[in-house]
Amino acid sequence: MFASSSTIFYLLSSWLPLLITAAGFSMKNASLMAATLATGGTLGAILIGRLMDRFDPHGVLAVAYLIAGGFVVLLGSATASPALLVFAIFGAGFGVAGAQVGVNALAAAYCTTAARATGVSWANAVGRIGSVLGSMVGGFLLSLGWDLSTVFTVAAAPALAAALAMLAKGWRARGRQPAPVAVPAE
């Protein structure tokens, strides 16, 4: 999940400006549009965190990754409309970067207090594999000569993988929770 999340985030942050300029926008506009990825991530982290406090965090994060995947797919067909493209970039950032912050918080909850920093650090270290892969995968997909719609549809696969991993983790966590202990009435 950490690797999948980092793969899609770094793929987008590395290749979005180039892909936007290839769609006919100036480098200035491409840079401004790509900045909405981080803006979406910031707002996503706040809202996703609030939702995780109120609902099952695994389900909230799975939905966030599914939303991110949908927006990444939309990126490939939104290049004709600047407003739609900015909306898609914002939505992808909202889901991917916002969920990554939530995943860090959730990972901390699964570690003992003494091992919390080490556990979350290891999870993020594994995720860095995805940051290297994201840039490489983006370059590979572009080298195939596919149209942007196909590239972004394939690029959405890590978001789907992260959503499925989060759902599996949630199901596993619910299966391991101890049954409530009945307190005898006095």
Side-chain angles (χ1 to χ4, degrees):
M1 180 179 39
F2 274 84
S4 292
S5 184
S6 290
T7 297
I8 194 163
F9 181 77
Y10 284 96
L11 185 150
L12 291 174
S13 60
S14 298
W15 292 102
L16 262 178
L18 178 67
L19 295 171
I20 294 169
T21 56
F25 296 96
S26 70
M27 183 56 84
K28 175 186 171 188
N29 287 339
S31 297
L32 292 172
M33 288 178 180
T36 61
L37 185 72
T39 305
T42 301
L43 294 176
I46 294 167
L47 182 60
I48 289 168
R50 298 277 307 202
L51 291 172
M52 287 174 63
D53 287 340
R54 297 191 69 179
F55 303 104
D56 172 39
H58 300 94
V60 169
L61 291 168
V63 169
Y65 282 123
L66 290 175
I67 288 170
F71 278 111
V72 170
V73 170
L74 179 62
L75 283 169
S77 58
T79 56
S81 168
L84 186 59
L85 184 58
V86 168
F87 178 68
I89 295 168
F90 179 88
F94 183 95
V96 173
Q100 185 60 48
V101 173
V103 167
N104 285 327
L106 187 62
Y110 279 87
C111 300
T112 64
T113 303
R116 192 161 289 152
T118 303
V120 174
S121 295
W122 267 102
N124 279 294
V126 170
R128 292 296 174 216
I129 295 167
S131 66
V132 173
L133 287 176
S135 298
M136 291 172 35
V137 167
F140 174 73
L141 292 175
L142 292 173
S143 74
L144 295 175
W146 292 345
D147 63 10
L148 290 180
S149 179
T150 305
V151 168
F152 281 111
T153 299
V154 172
L160 178 61
L164 293 174
M166 185 51 65
L167 287 173
K169 183 176 177 332
W171 290 324
R172 185 170 182 217
R174 280 189 289 282
R176 288 187 162 191
Q177 290 177 351
V181 176
V183 178
E186 296 192 28

